[in-house]
Amino acid sequence: MSSAELNIVQSCHTSDRNSHHSEKTKQNLQARLNRIEGQIRGIKGMVEKDAYCDDVLNQIAAVQSALNSVGRILLEGHMKSCVIERIQEGDNTVIDELLTTMNKLMK
């Protein structure tokens, strides 16, 4: 996993905050992202080989589903740790941040 991908996994939106993911969760996320990366390479190869459009579209749907799954795992962890922590600290701006993020995920 690249350092940029690792930063995404470890970040709770701002650079001075870190997530609270266990090593098991991080390994799970990294494995999922590695599989997604492989799927993307596979799709690229399918396009290069002029694969049947429906087959390519099905693979794209599979990647989108896999990314949504990673997003749900991260969102759950974010809400159970980062969001609760910031609310307990009196930082209610995290609610607007969370709503903005959820809107992006639901597009």
Side-chain angles (χ1 to χ4, degrees):
M1 175 175 281
S2 73
S3 62
E5 289 168 328
L6 194 54
N7 286 340
I8 290 169
V9 172
Q10 293 178 337
S11 173
C12 274
H13 186 66
T14 57
S15 60
D16 62 334
R17 297 185 187 275
N18 290 317
S19 70
H20 306 286
H21 300 297
S22 69
E23 280 302 313
K24 182 178 177 183
T25 299
K26 282 194 257 186
Q27 289 173 355
N28 178 18
L29 291 169
Q30 290 172 345
R32 288 171 182 265
L33 291 169
N34 286 338
R35 273 195 301 276
I36 292 166
E37 184 178 26
Q39 286 176 294
I40 296 291
R41 282 193 304 270
I43 292 169
K44 182 179 176 187
M46 292 175 78
V47 169
E48 289 170 356
K49 293 177 183 172
D50 294 321
Y52 184 58
C53 296
D54 191 59
D55 293 339
V56 176
L57 291 167
N58 282 316
Q59 289 304 309
I60 289 170
V63 168
Q64 288 172 329
S65 177
L67 279 171
N68 287 339
S69 179
V70 169
R72 280 191 298 275
I73 293 167
L74 286 168
L75 181 60
E76 180 180 344
H78 181 57
M79 291 175 72
K80 288 182 175 180
S81 60
C82 303
V83 172
I84 289 174
E85 236 176 54
R86 287 178 61 187
I87 289 171
Q88 289 172 342
E89 292 170 357
D91 182 2
N92 291 326
T93 63
V94 70
I95 298 299
D96 290 330
E97 175 186 288
L98 178 61
L99 290 171
T100 299
T101 298
M102 289 179 70
N103 283 328
K104 289 176 184 176
L105 285 171
M106 296 172 88
K107 284 187 176 183

